[in-house]
Amino acid sequence: FYHAQSMVSQKIDLCVFVKYKMFMDKDLKYDRWVDEKEAATHLKVKPSTLRTRRYKLGHDTLEVWRKFNGRILYDLYETDRKIEGVN
């Protein structure tokens, strides 16, 4: 029974990541939901900076993040929109 649950969970994870694939500009393509290391590279900060902001400010940071199955994922599309001031 546990094995079946983990397989279902893996399929749900895959569906979530496929669902959030998107294209931003014609020349720029990236995943919408990325892990901490990729988000730090995109935002040009260190991963420890993202962890510190998340720890001290929670969801009040400029970065849009969610905890999904124990992993922290950053929404690059919404983060870019928030930084640019577009709502």
Side-chain angles (χ1 to χ4, degrees):
F1 181 70
Y2 177 74
H3 181 66
Q5 282 182 334
S6 89
M7 288 180 65
V8 169
S9 176
Q10 289 173 354
K11 287 181 182 178
I12 290 172
D13 290 352
L14 179 63
C15 289
V16 168
F17 285 114
V18 170
K19 180 180 176 184
Y20 287 111
K21 276 258 200 216
M22 67 175 306
F23 294 90
M24 293 300 296
D25 296 327
K26 292 178 183 175
D27 299 330
L28 179 64
K29 173 189 167 191
Y30 58 79
D31 294 335
R32 180 171 181 162
W33 292 94
V34 297
D35 64 358
E36 190 173 81
K37 186 177 179 182
E38 292 177 26
T41 303
H42 178 76
L43 297 170
K44 297 177 180 72
V45 297
K46 294 192 289 186
S48 61
T49 303
L50 292 177
R51 283 192 296 274
T52 303
R53 289 180 190 167
R54 195 174 66 237
Y55 168 72
K56 290 185 176 182
L57 301 173
H59 285 283
D60 294 332
T61 63
L62 287 176
E63 300 86 17
V64 178
W65 61 273
R66 297 285 179 265
K67 192 166 187 179
F68 183 74
N69 283 347
R71 295 177 12 186
I72 303 296
L73 299 176
Y74 289 87
D75 184 349
L76 295 182
Y77 176 72
E78 285 299 321
T79 298
D80 287 343
R81 286 176 46 116
K82 199 171 184 181
I83 289 171
E84 293 171 1
V86 178
N87 278 337

